[in-house]
């Protein structure tokens, strides 16, 4: 490689976002040259790694944080419907890739796994009933069931009901159409296909700096992490999909659109068991309600996970704090991210989120005994010896300027574009991976407005509902769910 080489696209980071964007571009513009730089020795080692995320296939079938109860007691399904719509876009794209042989047998990255919600206490039961009533008539939630019968819950998943107090008021919903997704495997398969299409995926390569040239291209400094050999490359378009490392690179880029943005890192742990006798009694992803002051990513859940063909159960997450923005980075990430333009919003967030700080401190101080007690709220029969504690991936929540509040902490993902569409990056976390396809379609629309019209026929071939809402046409929604379930082998 010479310093004068110019490629069409550089993707920074070897996670699901870069893999999805590269895959889409290779389908839409096969003549473009694509280069991927990942600083670690393999792709999918940070947040996309199977054990660094819950792999839920977020479709809002079970996650209560997408439908919070308002002060007047009402529940609005709009956000849940939006998340499900986005997941259907991802499902359609994966189905297309499977149908053309770009992805392998679906069971290697996605498996049918019912999604459930489980709550206790009168107030929570009443809330869940209202949530169910708001969703049950919607075409994307048509298979959702509701019960307050502990025996019925035991039929759905024995571990939740076994040895539970029969006088305790409980309720649950179940959607059989839920999935478990191994995003680590999916990411690797997408990059493998990208390489077959001519892209260059270079691991052990870290982008250390980037700046925009007078001709509108981007000049990137790259370092080989093994031998520390420096090199450079020019790119017509850059996507910063480096997870927690994206903020620093976007700040280095100098684009004005990143001003006012900061990051708040939250770490996490899970309890995991591979005991076959325990695993066999729970075939579902069961979500509860988050503790007061807890961030949405800390909603407790007991999940079936299928990774590399092996089934395990995961419970958590137990939130914590470290100033690192990535699992394998430095303790200086947070302090080095502070700038004059984001200091004010970050201080405002700190002052206004005392409940979150209090929650994180309590989680940091929690003993293993306390962690197991939280598990037994879901699974009364849990035995200490069956469970091991594993460290999950880092999540960096978005902090940004707000005209009215000065600074806000935002949960979710946010696309940043600049340089007249020549650079884009992604900040934030959940639902993240599950909605990678629609997020990357947004990147394409924002960064290539002059090409998006010409790409529409191919986009409609790959993602029939792209740009439209399935929820407006029940027949089309039903057909899409049936077709993707068939291709992805999600039907019994």
């Amino acid at each position: 490689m010479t310093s004068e080489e110019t490629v069409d696209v550089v993707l920074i980071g070897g996670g699901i976002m870069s893999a999805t964007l590269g895959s889409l571009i290779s389908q839409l513009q096969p003549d473009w040259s694509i280069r991927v730089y990942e600083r670690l020795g393999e792709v999918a080692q940070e947040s996309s790694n199977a054990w660094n995320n819950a792999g839920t296939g977020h479709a809002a079938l079970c996650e209560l944080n997408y439908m919070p109860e308002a002060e007047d007691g009402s529940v609005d399904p709009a956000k849940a419907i939006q998340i499900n719509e986005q997941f259907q876009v991802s499902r359609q794209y994966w189905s297309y890739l499977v149908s053309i042989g770009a992805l392998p047998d679906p069971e290697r990255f996605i498996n049918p796994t019912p999604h459930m919600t489980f709550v206790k206490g009168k107030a929570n039961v009443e809330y869940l009933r209202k949530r169910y009533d708001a969703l049950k008539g919607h075409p994307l939630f048509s298979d959702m069931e509701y019960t307050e019968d502990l025996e019925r819950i035991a039929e759905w998943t024995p571990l939740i009901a076994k040895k539970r107090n029969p006088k305790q008021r409980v309720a649950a919903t179940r959607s059989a159409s839920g999935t478990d997704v191994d995003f680590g495997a999916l990411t690797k398969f997408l990059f493998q296909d990208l390489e077959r299409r001519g892209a260059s995926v270079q691991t052990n390569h870290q982008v250390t700096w980037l700046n925009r040239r007078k001709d509108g291209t981007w000049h990137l400094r790259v370092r080989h992490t093994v031998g520390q050999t420096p090199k450079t490359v020019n790119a017509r378009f850059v996507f910063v999909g480096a997870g927690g490392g994206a903020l620093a690179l976007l700040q280095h880029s100098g684009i004005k659109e990143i001003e006012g943005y900061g990051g708040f890192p939250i770490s996490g742990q899970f309890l995991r068991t591979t005991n076959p006798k325990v695993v066999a009694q729970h075939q579902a992803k069961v979500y509860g309600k988050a503790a007061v002051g807890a961030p949405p990513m800390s909603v407790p859940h007991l999940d079936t996970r299928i990774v590399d063909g092996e089934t395990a159960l995961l419970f958590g997450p137990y939130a914590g704090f470290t100033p690192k923005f990535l699992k394998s980075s430095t303790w200086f990430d947070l302090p080095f991210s502070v700038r004059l333009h984001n200091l004010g919003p970050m201080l405002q967030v700190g002052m206004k989120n005392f409940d979150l700080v209090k929650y994180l401190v309590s989680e940091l101080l929690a003993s293993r005994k306390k962690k197991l007690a939280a598990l037994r709220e879901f699974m009364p029969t849990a035995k200490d010896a069956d469970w091991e504690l594993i460290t999950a991936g880092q999540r960096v929540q978005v902090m940004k300027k707000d005209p009215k509040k000065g600074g806000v902490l935002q949960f979710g993902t946010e696309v940043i574009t600049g340089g007249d569409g020549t650079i884009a990056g992604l900040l934030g976390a959940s639902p993240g991976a599950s909605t990678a396809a629609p997020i990357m379609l947004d990147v394409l629309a924002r960064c290539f407005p002059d090409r998006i019209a010409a790409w529409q026929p191919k986009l409609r071939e790959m993602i029939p509902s792209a740009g439209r809402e399935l929820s407006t046409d029940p027949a089309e929604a039903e057909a899409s769910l049936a077709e993707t379930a068939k291709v992805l082998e999600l039907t019994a």
Side-chain angles (χ1 to χ4, degrees):
M1 182 189 297
T2 68
S3 60
E4 300 300 317
E5 181 183 11
T6 299
V7 298
D8 293 303
V9 177
V10 163
L11 305 172
I12 304 175
I16 187 65
M17 295 298 173
S18 291
T20 301
L21 182 59
S23 177
L24 285 165
I25 290 175
S26 72
Q27 297 284 342
L28 297 169
Q29 206 69 47
D31 58 324
W32 282 6
S33 53
I34 300 174
R35 183 149 301 152
V36 183
Y37 293 115
E38 165 55 47
R39 67 189 182 90
L40 299 179
E42 292 182 65
V43 298
Q45 294 305 298
E46 284 282 351
S47 294
S48 298
N49 181 272
W51 295 120
N52 287 344
N53 64 68
T56 303
H58 287 280
L61 298 171
C62 57
E63 306 94 331
L64 299 181
N65 53 296
Y66 298 136
M67 279 184 67
E69 189 171 13
E71 290 184 7
D72 64 1
S74 63
V75 290
D76 184 357
K79 181 67 174 179
I81 293 170
Q82 178 192 12
I83 295 295
N84 196 296
E85 290 273 9
Q86 291 177 326
F87 182 65
Q88 299 311 321
V89 171
S90 292
R91 245 174 81 144
Q92 288 178 31
Y93 187 54
W94 301 337
S95 297
Y96 169 77
L97 293 177
V98 168
S99 70
I100 65 170
L103 287 177
D105 292 340
E107 67 177 1
R108 296 180 65 184
F109 67 90
I110 187 169
N111 285 276
T113 307
H115 285 194
M116 291 178 56
T117 298
F118 176 75
V119 298
K120 308 180 299 294
K122 180 181 177 182
N124 289 335
V125 169
E126 291 176 353
Y127 157 71
L128 191 62
R129 161 64 78 172
K130 285 187 287 187
R131 178 181 182 271
Y132 169 72
D133 288 340
L135 291 172
K136 64 181 180 181
H138 194 278
L140 295 176
F141 297 82
S142 59
D143 74 331
M144 183 178 286
E145 301 175 75
Y146 174 90
T147 187
E148 296 178 24
D149 183 357
L150 191 58
E151 291 185 4
R152 181 62 170 157
I153 295 172
E155 293 175 7
W156 290 346
T157 175
L159 288 186
I160 297 295
K162 197 173 183 179
K163 291 192 177 180
R164 185 171 295 280
N165 183 354
K167 295 182 179 180
Q168 184 181 50
R169 191 168 179 193
V170 297
T173 59
R174 180 180 185 269
S175 296
S177 59
T179 55
D180 173 68
V181 185
D182 182 343
F183 285 106
L186 176 59
T187 299
K188 292 175 183 178
F189 294 143
L190 287 171
F191 277 127
Q192 288 169 11
D193 182 62
L194 201 53
E195 287 185 295
R196 287 192 292 267
R197 294 174 180 275
S200 173
V201 179
Q202 300 185 16
T203 55
N204 291 315
H205 281 76
Q206 182 173 7
V207 176
T208 59
W209 199 265
L210 67 165
N211 64 281
R212 198 177 186 209
R213 294 155 54 100
K214 291 181 180 180
D215 64 0
T217 62
W218 288 88
H219 185 68
L220 289 83
R221 299 179 200 167
V222 185
R223 184 179 69 242
H224 194 294
T225 59
V226 176
Q228 302 301 310
T229 306
K231 53 185 176 182
T232 60
V233 65
N234 298 330
R236 296 184 178 89
F237 173 74
V238 175
F239 175 69
V240 186
L247 177 61
L249 286 170
L250 289 170
Q251 289 175 333
H252 291 331
S253 75
I255 59 172
K256 61 181 179 60
E257 290 82 1
I258 196 62
E259 292 182 3
Y261 281 88
F264 185 82
I266 298 177
S267 60
Q269 294 179 318
F270 285 93
L271 286 170
R272 177 177 65 186
T273 182
T274 55
N275 184 328
K277 292 182 179 180
V278 178
V279 172
Q281 298 179 68
H282 185 83
Q283 302 296 321
K285 293 180 179 291
V286 184
Y287 274 56
K289 288 198 74 173
V292 176
M297 64 166 286
S298 295
V299 174
H301 44 94
L302 181 61
D303 285 9
T304 295
R305 292 303 321 274
I306 303 169
V307 179
D308 296 329
E310 299 295 324
T311 305
L313 297 186
L314 207 65
F315 178 79
Y318 302 101
F321 176 79
T322 164
K324 298 167 77 172
F325 280 3
L326 291 163
K327 202 171 178 179
S328 56
S329 61
T330 79
W331 292 80
F332 298 103
D333 288 341
L334 179 57
F336 283 0
S337 73
V338 178
R339 303 285 192 277
L340 285 176
H341 60 71
N342 65 16
L343 179 60
M346 291 175 73
L347 290 174
Q348 288 284 333
V349 167
M351 290 187 292
K352 294 175 182 177
N353 287 272
F354 179 74
D355 283 348
L356 174 58
V357 174
K358 182 180 178 181
Y359 169 78
L360 291 176
V361 171
S362 69
E363 288 283 283
L364 282 169
L365 298 175
S367 63
R368 179 177 175 86
K369 183 178 180 180
K370 186 175 179 180
K371 288 181 169 68
L372 283 164
L375 168 59
R376 290 188 179 109
E377 288 290 311
F378 266 70
M379 178 188 165
T381 59
K383 296 179 180 178
D384 190 345
D386 290 331
W387 298 83
E388 62 175 328
L389 194 64
I390 64 172
T391 301
Q394 285 288 105
R395 299 291 186 269
V396 181
Q397 308 297 340
V398 175
M399 293 186 284
K400 65 178 184 178
K401 286 181 180 178
D402 183 89
K404 296 180 180 180
K405 300 179 181 179
V408 294
L409 182 65
Q410 176 177 300
F411 297 102
T413 51
E414 183 149 346
V415 173
I416 308 294
T417 59
D420 298 324
T422 58
I423 188 170
L426 190 73
L427 303 178
S430 184
S434 300
T435 56
I439 291 172
M440 293 304 103
L441 289 180
D442 181 39
V443 169
L444 292 175
R446 291 166 63 171
C447 294
F448 302 99
D450 57 331
R451 293 181 178 271
I452 199 70
W455 288 340
Q456 284 302 317
K458 183 65 175 180
L459 283 172
R460 283 193 291 270
E461 176 189 346
M462 299 188 299
I463 307 168
S465 70
R468 298 179 295 108
E469 292 184 349
L470 284 172
S471 56
T472 61
D473 188 334
E476 185 180 3
E478 182 180 359
S480 176
L481 288 168
E483 178 61 22
T484 56
K486 179 180 177 182
V487 176
L488 295 175
E489 300 176 5
L490 301 176
T491 53

